[in-house]
Amino acid sequence: MTRSTGSGQGWRDDFGDRMLRSTPLPQAQLVRGEGAYVWDDDGKRHLDFLAGIAVNALGHAHPAFVDAVSRQAAILAHVSNYFATPPQLALAQRLLRLAGADEHGRVFFCNSGTEANEAAIKLARRTQRPRILALEDSFHGRTTGALALTGKPALREPFEPLLPGVEHLPSTIEALEHAIGPDVAALVLEPIKGEAGVRDLPTGYLETARVLTAEHGALLILDEIQTGAGRTGSWFAFQRHGIVPDAMTLAKGIGGGFPIGALVTFGAASGLFEPGQHGTTFGGNPLATATADAVLAEIERAGLVENAARRGRQLRDGIAGLPLVAELRGEGLLIGVGLSAEVAPDVVSTALELGLIVNAPNPSTIRLAPPLIIGDAQVEMFLALFAKALEAHA
Ligand SMILES: *Cc1c(COP(=O)(O)O)cnc(C)c1O
């Protein structure tokens, strides 16, 4: 018998029957989106405060996104990397300008965050040094190289042995001072650890990491896949620390929903690859790069980086007094709400029933990553719904 896929619960059975068991069962089936809202297959509207995990920077179905995809699909979608295209060069130029790179800055395009980190690992290998330092509790992706960097043993262990030479350090300046040396190729880290529950680094960590890596000739590689593209209230999180890394990896928000990743290199690191040493069929194709360029142009035009900072403050002020709230972490519109009890998954379920999408990266944290376009009305609506969801479990 053919099951219904349009509404009700049929999709759950279909999912179990057809999708590989590599992810948990989804919470709902979504069919449409507009702005900060999505609709499920029962026609119920949800306020989306996760934005596809910090991806939908412009929300859903934004005219700038829709126009860019449609227009470029009708002009030229894909040509392979044997050919240059105008959108690819335009996006590279925009990213380098926004990152504050000088004339040595370069960009490599790929299709996802984990692939950007694979490129970064190969860049590190080019130093011919054997050790790569990463942080405990970090997340860098699911392909085997990026997984080796990921500081979550439960994710790594089922797939070992992985890339050798990777060490996971506690996130303290002392641990870094102890581990750094002339045989270190790179230190790879997230400026704010998103999947760990939006965990900030200790004050002064990035500044010290820059000094120590430079002193020992190691690369400082920042994974800004979750923090980049304006989410934290600056274009890239490192820019609030007065440092420049040797490389950074990007994905998620730069495409606003179109799959794209990038490795941006600064200074001498830009000269480590030789022609032919890395590549990808889809990476940097005109459809993806035209869309990402339009998304970033709209973030600039509409002042959404400033909006992320302002709405972030407004949200923090409103959340601070709510039940169960013990701690607020993160920056701008990447917020970790630390709860005083391990009820985050229950809060997520109740919120969904109320028409609010949030996420629990661990049992005591709610992560908020709304679209950068949110305004006053959505912040107020969020605070009312979130208060109800928390009260239900206080
Ligand atoms: C999401 C994420 C990745 C992996 O990106 P994918 O596009 O899922 O491969 C890597 N690093 C960080 C910090 C992320 O948040």
Side-chain angles (χ1 to χ4, degrees):
M1 197 183 103
T2 308
R3 292 192 192 103
S4 144
T5 49
S7 66
Q9 299 295 303
W11 67 267
R12 289 178 197 277
D13 293 329
D14 290 344
F15 193 94
D17 289 350
R18 294 170 193 169
M19 302 299 288
L20 191 66
R21 281 191 198 193
S22 63
T23 53
L25 187 68
Q27 298 160 292
Q29 181 171 247
L30 302 178
V31 296
R32 186 167 76 84
E34 194 183 317
Y37 302 100
V38 288
W39 282 261
D40 67 21
D41 53 9
D42 285 329
K44 179 173 157 186
R45 190 182 78 167
H46 300 265
L47 177 63
D48 184 4
F49 259 52
L50 184 59
I53 317 184
V55 167
N56 302 96
L58 304 181
H60 301 274
H62 191 288
F65 179 91
V66 175
D67 285 356
V69 175
S70 316
R71 198 165 349 103
Q72 191 60 43
I75 297 173
L76 188 68
H78 178 84
V79 292
S80 91
N81 288 303
Y82 290 117
F83 303 94
T85 65
Q88 174 186 79
L89 300 177
L91 177 60
Q93 187 178 0
R94 189 186 299 276
L95 278 175
L96 291 169
R97 172 170 59 78
L98 296 175
D102 64 14
E103 75 276 14
H104 300 293
R106 295 289 184 274
V107 181
F108 169 80
F109 289 117
C110 51
N111 314 290
S112 66
T114 201
E115 270 179 87
N117 284 332
E118 294 296 326
I121 292 167
K122 286 179 72 174
L123 187 79
R125 276 286 188 259
R126 293 289 299 143
T127 65
Q128 301 189 337
R129 295 172 171 208
R131 297 169 63 211
I132 296 179
L133 307 181
L135 297 185
E136 287 176 0
D137 222 17
S138 60
F139 182 81
H140 297 293
R142 303 286 200 148
T143 55
T144 55
L147 185 59
L149 296 188
T150 292
K152 294 170 181 278
L155 298 187
R156 281 201 315 272
E157 275 162 12
F159 304 99
E160 288 174 344
L162 294 167
L163 182 76
V166 181
E167 295 159 48
H168 295 96
L169 312 179
S171 303
T172 64
I173 291 173
E174 300 75 62
L176 179 57
E177 286 171 339
H178 191 253
I180 194 89
D183 54 352
V184 172
L187 168 66
V188 183
L189 53 91
E190 301 157 89
I192 298 171
K193 286 188 276 187
E195 300 304 306
V198 191
R199 300 233 156 243
D200 302 286
L201 292 170
T203 307
Y205 188 96
L206 272 183
E207 292 83 345
T208 306
R210 178 65 287 183
V211 171
L212 289 176
T213 47
E215 228 170 72
H216 292 271
L219 301 175
L220 175 62
I221 301 176
L222 298 181
D223 179 340
E224 293 240 19
I225 289 164
Q226 194 157 151
T227 52
R231 173 144 304 274
T232 67
S234 54
W235 270 102
F236 304 103
F238 76 81
Q239 292 168 326
R240 279 195 310 278
H241 297 270
I243 62 152
V244 179
D246 297 292
M248 77 168 158
T249 53
L250 299 171
K252 293 201 165 100
I254 62 168
F258 204 99
I260 183 168
L263 171 71
V264 178
T265 57
F266 301 83
S270 295
L272 285 170
F273 277 127
E274 286 164 23
Q277 286 187 329
H278 197 47
T280 151
T281 298
F282 292 128
N285 88 17
L287 187 54
T289 49
T291 305
D293 196 45
V295 168
L296 297 181
E298 177 62 16
I299 293 175
E300 286 199 87
R301 191 201 63 75
L304 298 181
V305 180
E306 298 74 26
N307 192 56
R310 186 167 60 244
R311 299 302 171 195
R313 281 192 297 273
Q314 194 183 349
L315 278 166
R316 280 178 176 73
D317 288 347
I319 295 166
L322 299 180
L324 281 172
V325 174
E327 190 181 33
L328 281 167
R329 301 186 294 265
E331 289 282 346
L333 288 180
L334 182 59
I335 299 177
V337 184
L339 305 181
S340 54
E342 303 216 323
V343 293
D346 305 320
V347 172
V348 168
S349 302
T350 303
L352 191 69
E353 283 165 28
L354 294 168
L356 171 66
I357 295 177
V358 294
N359 146 271
N362 64 47
S364 59
T365 303
I366 300 291
R367 171 173 46 185
L368 309 177
L372 308 187
I373 54 162
I374 56 161
D376 230 29
Q378 279 120 20
V379 169
E380 291 309 318
M381 182 184 291
F382 165 81
L383 289 172
L385 292 170
F386 194 45
K388 269 196 201 168
L390 289 169
E391 273 156 23
H393 301 282

